[in-house]
């Protein structure tokens, strides 16, 4: 994997990334241009799984993490939140919205309205493709309550046989943009050969829906081989023990989530969205990863 990762001793800079950092520092290589992307931090209260209903539910928060397949070029084997690159179809103005509009998200994300529209649509689409959770409903007071029934639509999106606009139009649904809480913006280090400008959103798992790595009834898992609901602090402990790979943005986000008592507290948080750009620093012939400081909360 040619991306920084988190271990018990802190961020590790792979050899290939270190060499690219030296070439950029020496002026021998130009950084790649980041591509817009969106990620959704799916949340639920601990003990919300069906098998735990009869037992005493444990207090706390769980986040849904996907384990990327080992064959992928970008971050193979890493645990990540659902998300991915913005597609041209995400800018389709025909997609119906129920909740804050592109202008309101533009102000929150500090981007033009058309870019905000594409980012929000990408967040909903990628979450549906990668986890089966669809943040949509027939109106502002309605919400899809059975993600299993949408398995065929999810598979069509993954196969490129349908767009999100086509799926929603056929089902009579609109995006529930009010369910998305802007959380952070991370830009891949300049030394990375493949770079993303990624906006993170937080969202609660809708009642009746389930998150899965592969579409129900289909063997192809897409980019992820498995998925799990994990407590943020537990995931960080597992990564520090060397039993899980986390990219720095995922690890930092899990640390932020761990400071909140429950899902409502997380969704009520209003951080100021400013770019966080980790840097691969070359000093005296040594290479290290410098992480940006945590942002402030919006008043």
């Amino acid at each position: 994997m040619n991306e920084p990762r988190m271990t018990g001793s802190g961020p590790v800079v792979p050899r290939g990334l270190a060499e690219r950092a030296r070439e950029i520092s020496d002026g021998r290589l130009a950084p790649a241009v980041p591509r817009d992307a969106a990620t959704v931090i799916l949340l639920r209260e601990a003990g919300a799984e069906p098998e735990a209903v009869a037992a005493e539910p444990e207090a706390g928060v769980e986040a849904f993490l996907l384990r990327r397949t080992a064959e992928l070029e970008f971050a193979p084997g890493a645990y990540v939140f659902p998300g991915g690159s913005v597609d041209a179809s995400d800018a389709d103005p025909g997609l119906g919205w129920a909740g804050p509009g592109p202008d309101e998200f533009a102000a929150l994300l500090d981007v033009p309205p058309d870019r905000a529209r594409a980012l929000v649509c990408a967040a909903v689409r990628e979450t549906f493709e990668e986890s089966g959770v669809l943040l949509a409903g027939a109106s502002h007071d309605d919400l899809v309550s059975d993600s299993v029934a949408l398995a065929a639509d999810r598979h069509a999106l993954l196969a490129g046989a349908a767009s999100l606009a086509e799926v929603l139009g056929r089902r009579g649904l609109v995006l529930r943009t009010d369910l998305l809480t802007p959380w952070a913006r991370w830009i891949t280090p300049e030394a990375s050969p493949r770079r993303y400008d990624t906006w993170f959103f937080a969202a609660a798992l809708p009642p009746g829906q389930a998150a899965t790595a592969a579409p129900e009834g289909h063997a192809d898992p897409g980019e992820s081989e498995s998925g799990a609901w994990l407590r943020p602090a537990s995931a960080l402990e597992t990564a520090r023990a060397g039993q899980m790979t986390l990219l720095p943005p995922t690890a930092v986000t899990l640390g932020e989530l761990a400071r909140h008592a429950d899902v409502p507290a997380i969704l009520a948080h209003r951080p100021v969205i400013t770019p966080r750009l980790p840097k691969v620093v070359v000093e005296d012939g040594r290479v290290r990863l410098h992480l940006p400081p945590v942002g402030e909360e919006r008043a």
Side-chain angles (χ1 to χ4, degrees), residues 195-282:
R195 302 182 65 208
Y196 298 93
D197 192 347
T198 307
W199 277 258
F200 284 56
F201 301 86
L205 177 71
Q209 295 200 40
T212 60
E216 296 79 359
H218 298 280
D220 182 10
E223 295 183 349
S224 303
E225 61 186 31
S226 62
W229 287 99
L230 300 172
R231 289 173 175 270
S234 298
L236 290 171
E237 291 174 5
T238 303
R240 282 191 285 267
Q243 300 172 355
M244 173 186 291
T245 297
L246 296 174
L247 300 183
T250 309
V252 170
T253 301
L254 289 170
E256 294 170 344
L257 298 175
R259 294 197 289 268
H260 297 275
D262 52 32
V263 173
I266 292 174
L267 299 181
H269 188 61
R270 292 294 184 268
V272 177
I273 309 301
T274 56
R276 298 181 185 179
L277 175 61
K279 295 183 179 180
V280 179
V281 181
V282 181

Side-chain angles (χ1 to χ4, degrees), residues 35-38 84-92 114 117-119 121-123 125-126 129 157 160 162-164:
R35 180 176 179 180
D36 278 357
S85 301
V86 171
D87 288 344
S89 63
D90 294 322
D92 185 352
D114 58 342
R117 176 191 295 277
L119 288 167
C121 291
R125 176 184 54 76
E126 285 285 345
E129 289 181 0
L157 279 177
S163 67
L164 180 61

